[in-house]
Amino acid sequence: MSISIVQADIPAIEAVSEVADRKLTTFQEYFQSPSKAEDEMKQSLKMKDTVFGIPVFGNERTKPETLHRTVDTLTKILDQSGAGQADKPELVRFMSDNNFKVVIAGNGLDLDNLNPNDFPKETTAEISSSGLNIDDYFLESLRLVTEAHIIQLKKNAQRAQDQTSKDELESLKTAIAQLQANGLGFEDDDGDDCAAYLVMAQVALSGQLPTILERLLSMVDKAVQFVPADEMGVFETDLPEPIKKWKSFSPESFQAENPLVCEWLARNALSAPIVDIESVEVALDEETIEDLGK
């Protein structure tokens, strides 16, 4: 299957570094857009922290432990050498200059209220403090950095006629085609979400993917008992077949059968850090249980 890589639409706004020291800056002030003052969700977000200049926003329902895990994980992703500075300063500067950000809300309903025009998926990590996606502090942080790397390659290839960036994008198409040929994909997959493939590959190579998938199933098992019978159709109680294929690999077998994506990740210095995933209990909070019963 041919994979189309398109140019992302990135709004030009002020660099985050100019406001990074204002810890309680509201999102409204950050964007300096008085015309959007009525957006309640946006108004409730405040800058809680920054990671190498990348802002991390939360609201009054953001749990401190989720904030801490997210900041720690994003730091580990960007500074895997542990030197106290970003391993790829040009990438971090690109993320800062192009409005990449993290939003940690109290629950999934808060995230549903984010305006996609203000919070584009490509440049926003959306993380819930509770609910089904308990490991998103890790997965979404990894996706955000991966998206940034891909978008940076696209912009370099388009604006500077950078042949190296063009070659990397072509190599990425080929690498993903190899994954698909080996039966690796997603439900309703159109092959265009390059970041999703790369995140799964990074986590598979780190050896943490089976644990994450088992935790997801465990959370679904806990959730279904609170879902009204007429709503059960929205819940999958087993992994989709394409995801089961991902789970079947060890890091060694994944590398052996999918060398092109592994080489691409190594060449572009992208890898998932080891995170103590199981330190976060698989449990439903009362607010999520109440929402599931509605």
Side-chain angles (χ1 to χ4, degrees), residues 134-135 203 206-218 247 275-280 282:
I134 55 172
D135 295 324
V203 180
S206 74
Q208 300 170 97
L209 187 55
T211 300
I212 286 176
L213 295 177
E214 285 299 330
R215 285 166 59 81
L216 175 61
L217 286 178
S218 179
K247 185 184 175 186
V275 176
D276 187 9
I277 302 168
E278 294 185 281
S279 64
V280 183
V282 176

Side-chain angles (χ1 to χ4, degrees), residues 78-143:
L78 293 171
D79 175 24
Q80 297 204 23
S81 66
Q85 58 188 12
D87 297 329
K88 296 189 283 187
E90 288 187 7
L91 177 64
V92 170
R93 191 179 310 115
F94 176 83
M95 295 176 71
S96 175
D97 289 345
N98 290 283
N99 189 29
F100 282 77
K101 56 195 169 292
V102 178
V103 176
I104 309 172
N107 53 46
L109 293 178
D110 286 344
L111 295 175
D112 289 342
N113 290 326
L114 293 177
N115 187 326
N117 294 321
D118 296 325
F119 302 89
K121 180 67 173 176
E122 293 85 358
T123 59
T124 307
E126 298 182 5
I127 298 166
S128 173
S129 288
S130 60
L132 297 176
N133 299 323
I134 55 172
D135 295 324
D136 272 0
Y137 71 92
F138 173 40
L139 297 176
E140 274 289 282
S141 297
L142 189 61
R143 182 194 63 80

Side-chain angles (χ1 to χ4, degrees), residues 39-183:
D39 187 333
E40 182 178 335
M41 178 58 194
K42 186 165 63 179
Q43 283 285 351
S44 74
L45 293 173
K46 297 183 183 297
M47 189 184 293
K48 300 293 187 179
D49 210 330
T50 61
V51 178
F52 300 120
I54 300 166
V56 180
F57 290 95
N59 61 12
E60 66 274 8
R61 290 183 291 278
T62 299
K63 294 181 180 178
E65 56 268 30
T66 309
L67 174 64
H68 172 75
R69 285 195 299 269
T70 302
V71 169
D72 182 63
T73 301
L74 185 57
T75 300
K76 288 178 178 176
I77 292 170
L78 293 171
D79 175 24
Q80 297 204 23
S81 66
Q85 58 188 12
D87 297 329
K88 296 189 283 187
E90 288 187 7
L91 177 64
V92 170
R93 191 179 310 115
F94 176 83
M95 295 176 71
S96 175
D97 289 345
N98 290 283
N99 189 29
F100 282 77
K101 56 195 169 292
V102 178
V103 176
I104 309 172
N107 53 46
L109 293 178
D110 286 344
L111 295 175
D112 289 342
N113 290 326
L114 293 177
N115 187 326
N117 294 321
D118 296 325
F119 302 89
K121 180 67 173 176
E122 293 85 358
T123 59
T124 307
E126 298 182 5
I127 298 166
S128 173
S129 288
S130 60
L132 297 176
N133 299 323
I134 55 172
D135 295 324
D136 272 0
Y137 71 92
F138 173 40
L139 297 176
E140 274 289 282
S141 297
L142 189 61
R143 182 194 63 80
L144 190 71
V145 176
T146 303
E147 292 272 20
H149 186 85
I150 295 171
I151 294 172
Q152 186 182 39
L153 284 175
K154 295 173 187 174
K155 290 175 75 72
N156 289 344
Q158 183 179 41
R159 293 181 178 177
Q161 297 300 305
D162 182 343
Q163 189 59 46
T164 300
S165 296
K166 289 183 178 181
D167 290 345
E168 286 298 343
L169 291 172
E170 287 301 316
S171 296
L172 179 56
K173 293 180 185 180
T174 304
I176 292 177
Q178 183 180 71
L179 290 173
Q180 294 171 326
N182 288 334

